[in-house]
Amino acid sequence: MKRNRRISAVAALALAALVTGTGSGFAATTTPSATHAFNSASATAPAPSFHGTLPAPTGPYAAGEDIIHLTDASRPDPWVPSSGPRQLTVTMVYPAVPGTGTPAPYMTLGEAAGVLQRQKMLASSGVTPQNLAGVTTHAFDGARPQRGKHPLVVLSPAYEDPRWTLTALATDLASHGYVVALVGHTHEDSGETLADGQTPPCAICDDPNLDMDTVAASRARDVSFVIDQLTHGNTAWPLAHLIDKHQVGMAGHSIGGAAAAATMIADPRVRAGVNMDGTFHPDPKPGQINRPFLMLGTAANTDWEHPWAALGGYKKWLAVAGADHFSFSDLDLLLQEAGFPTPRLDPERGIVITREYVTAFFDQTLKKIHSPLLDGPSPNNPEVLFQH
């Protein structure tokens, strides 16, 4: 079974564990009896008192944040054509002056309510849209930007996962001098709040016959449109002058990682890509990707041999011992903070590793700053195994 397709159900259970007070999210990533574990735990688990905090960014800059809404008038929505042209919500995170701006919410109340509704959260759980939206992000609305131009990195989340699940990575990249576009792929998750204030639910999440190659290709079109809008003047985003349009990278988690490869094949402007624990949809063919590519995943990921052989440029394949599929996003940490079991790799450690290696990769490929971290195994990161 393809990893991204299987993980979609797992992701739903992991979020369900967070919002219903069960501890089954981690069992769901490793056992076929996740639904049974989820149902058993929900009968006895106490209602949580939840307030999540993401790790602070590690770079010299603060992380500013803006939300922008884009409409591709040339393309109908691929999943709900009756809704009209494709609409996207994008979180822009950028290098900012420390001490400016106001704390940014983790998500809108509509997006938080969408998560709770999709997971059929009981009112007795005590988890509300307010405390989900109130997770501390260390990003600041309206923060004053740092001067100069910075590489652009586009982030694409996992199937069924909203864009905010990659916030910890986005804020850290911004603190190290990157402009980050965190793309919400409308109708592909529990809800992205659009320009009209509506938060439409997932239109494809329950389709057992969904072709994930089609999803990856659609996301590639989303991303190319976002790059178009951000690199042609300042109409889409008033701070677009911060972007060095000649230095563009992309990273994604799960199907978002597959979309990074699909985007690189379709759009030569993307100079470097990262796949975080996602099956490729489809596998690239030799000659299609001759630019730098990083594969960062679990030690259990065994379906990357063919893509690895096809990659023609600078490439690294790193496996993280003890990680599960959500170690590369915010989800494991939020579950831990809600009081539930953790994978063998501490969730905050998973975020640290993801941040360090993704940043090092883009430093080396977009900023031309050599990073010894990518040369081989590091005593400071014994969990990271160099596969080739």
Side-chain angles (χ1 to χ4, degrees), residues 41-365:
S42 64
T44 58
S49 176
F50 173 72
H51 180 76
T53 300
L54 302 180
T58 62
Y61 306 130
E65 180 178 301
D66 285 333
I67 306 295
I68 62 174
H69 300 280
L70 305 176
T71 300
D72 185 352
S74 69
R75 177 188 177 207
D77 187 274
W79 314 121
V80 186
S82 61
S83 66
R86 181 65 163 165
Q87 298 183 69
L88 299 171
T89 299
V90 182
T91 301
M92 301 301 304
V93 192
Y94 58 91
V97 176
T100 63
T102 57
Y106 193 35
M107 64 190 91
T108 68
L109 291 177
E111 288 162 351
V115 172
L116 306 188
Q117 182 177 4
R118 175 148 184 83
Q119 305 311 326
K120 298 178 174 61
M121 187 202 75
L122 300 176
S124 60
S125 70
V127 181
T128 67
Q130 286 77 13
N131 56 30
L132 278 180
V135 168
T136 300
T137 66
H138 304 285
F140 296 89
D141 283 333
R144 190 163 73 249
Q146 294 285 344
R147 295 180 179 178
K149 289 188 176 293
H150 311 275
L152 171 67
V153 173
V154 182
L155 297 183
S156 180
Y159 177 61
E160 293 196 17
D161 289 357
R163 69 190 191 283
W164 47 260
T165 57
L166 296 179
T167 299
L169 176 58
T171 54
D172 200 60
L173 283 166
S175 79
H176 286 277
Y178 292 88
V179 172
V180 181
L182 188 48
V183 180
H185 300 280
T186 310
H187 299 125
E188 298 179 27
D189 58 49
S190 56
E192 306 285 347
T193 300
L194 302 178
D196 63 1
Q198 300 297 308
T199 308
C202 190
I204 61 173
C205 292
D206 298 319
D207 181 355
N209 300 313
L210 187 66
D211 180 2
M212 299 307 286
D213 289 7
T214 301
V215 176
S218 177
R219 289 194 176 200
R221 294 189 68 181
D222 285 349
V223 170
S224 288
F225 172 69
V226 170
I227 295 171
D228 287 344
Q229 295 295 295
L230 293 175
T231 57
H232 295 158
N234 295 350
T235 56
W237 182 45
L239 298 180
H241 62 276
L242 298 175
I243 295 171
D244 180 351
K245 64 182 180 180
H246 301 294
Q247 300 296 338
V248 179
M250 180 178 174
H253 178 219
S254 197
I255 190 63
T263 304
M264 289 187 73
I265 292 170
D267 194 331
R269 293 174 298 179
V270 181
R271 299 171 62 89
V274 180
N275 181 348
M276 298 183 292
D277 208 48
T279 295
F280 288 80
H281 286 284
D283 285 352
K285 296 181 174 61
Q288 287 187 316
I289 300 178
N290 292 322
R291 284 155 283 158
F293 204 90
L294 169 66
M295 304 192 306
L296 176 68
T298 66
N301 197 326
T302 60
D303 55 6
W304 278 355
E305 288 291 348
H306 288 297
W308 170 261
L311 297 173
Y314 172 81
K315 58 185 179 179
K316 295 290 178 179
W317 176 355
L318 309 180
V320 183
D324 72 2
H325 189 62
F326 305 109
S327 296
F328 309 96
S329 74
D330 299 352
L331 289 177
D332 276 351
L333 180 62
L334 294 179
L335 287 167
Q336 182 188 61
E337 291 175 334
F340 306 120
T342 65
R344 186 157 59 90
L345 181 71
D346 177 79
E348 188 158 352
R349 182 72 183 138
I351 288 176
V352 168
I353 289 170
T354 301
R355 286 172 156 188
E356 287 187 357
Y357 282 89
V358 172
T359 300
F361 176 76
F362 285 129
D363 280 352
Q364 185 150 311
T365 57

